[in-house]
């Protein structure tokens, strides 16, 4: 007879964090939102793919809105009341996610765009001599 192995799952611990940072990463393919405490430790995260969208629907503003709605509810369950929002990327979902955070009961204290911008671009190719 084979033994039945049972594992116990830990109960999710609800944290009480009044201030947090929301990182919105919006690309042309997906929107990922992570809420961290002020030190950078992740509290909750989600993406349009994790919500259930597939293919081209993941990059829509509607998908980003639903992700932000789910994240804000989950963050409020952990005691978050004030958030700073850092937006990274060029996708269409960043504005919809930001509007959803403002529409929820979270107080948006700061909005900052942290999209990386190249200063000088890539190196030019070497010039070859025609022989």
């Amino acid at each position: 007879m084979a033994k039945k192995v049972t594992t116990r799952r830990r109960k999710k611990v609800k944290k009480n964090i009044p201030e947090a940072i929301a990182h919105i990463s919006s690309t042309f393919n997906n929107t990922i939102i992570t809420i961290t405490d002020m030190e950078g430790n992740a509290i909750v995260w989600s993406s349009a793919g994790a919500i259930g969208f597939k293919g081209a629907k993941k990059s829509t503003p509607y998908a980003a809105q639903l992700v932000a709605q789910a994240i804000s509810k989950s963050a409020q369950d952990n005691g978050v009341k004030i958030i700073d929002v850092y937006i990274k990327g060029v996708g269409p979902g960043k504005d919809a996610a930001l509007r959803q955070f403002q529409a929820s009961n979270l107080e948006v204290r700061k909005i900052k765009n942290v999209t990386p911008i190249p200063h000088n671009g890539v190196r030019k190719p070497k010039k070859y001599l025609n022989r």
Side-chain angles (χ1 to χ4, degrees):
M1 289 179 107
K3 286 186 178 180
K4 187 176 181 183
V5 179
T6 58
T7 58
R8 289 187 172 203
R9 288 193 167 194
R10 284 188 172 182
K11 187 177 178 182
K12 275 195 174 178
V13 179
K14 297 288 182 187
K15 305 162 185 86
N16 190 12
I17 301 165
E19 297 180 3
I21 302 170
H23 300 273
I24 301 173
S25 175
S26 179
T27 65
F28 290 118
N29 295 322
N30 204 352
T31 301
I32 302 168
I33 301 176
T34 306
I35 294 196
T36 65
D37 58 8
M38 298 311 272
E39 284 81 41
N41 303 316
I43 301 169
V44 290
W45 72 271
S46 188
S47 67
I51 295 287
F53 289 95
K54 290 184 176 179
K57 294 182 187 85
K58 285 195 300 184
S59 63
T60 60
Y62 177 69
Q65 179 182 349
L66 291 185
V67 172
Q69 186 176 9
I71 282 288
S72 62
K73 183 183 182 309
S74 179
Q76 287 173 352
D77 292 343
N78 284 312
V80 176
K81 292 179 176 53
I82 301 169
I83 59 170
D84 298 338
V85 181
Y86 292 150
I87 302 172
K88 179 187 279 189
V90 293
K94 60 185 178 183
D95 295 329
L98 178 60
R99 271 192 231 105
Q100 184 61 40
F101 277 133
Q102 290 172 334
S104 65
N105 290 333
L106 295 171
E107 178 189 338
V108 177
R109 181 171 50 189
K110 176 169 64 170
I111 302 168
K112 188 173 183 182
N113 189 351
V114 291
T115 305
I117 299 170
H119 292 282
N120 201 10
V122 296
R123 184 174 173 173
K124 289 186 177 179
K126 181 181 175 182
K127 291 184 179 177
Y128 290 103
L129 298 174
N130 292 333
R131 293 184 191 191

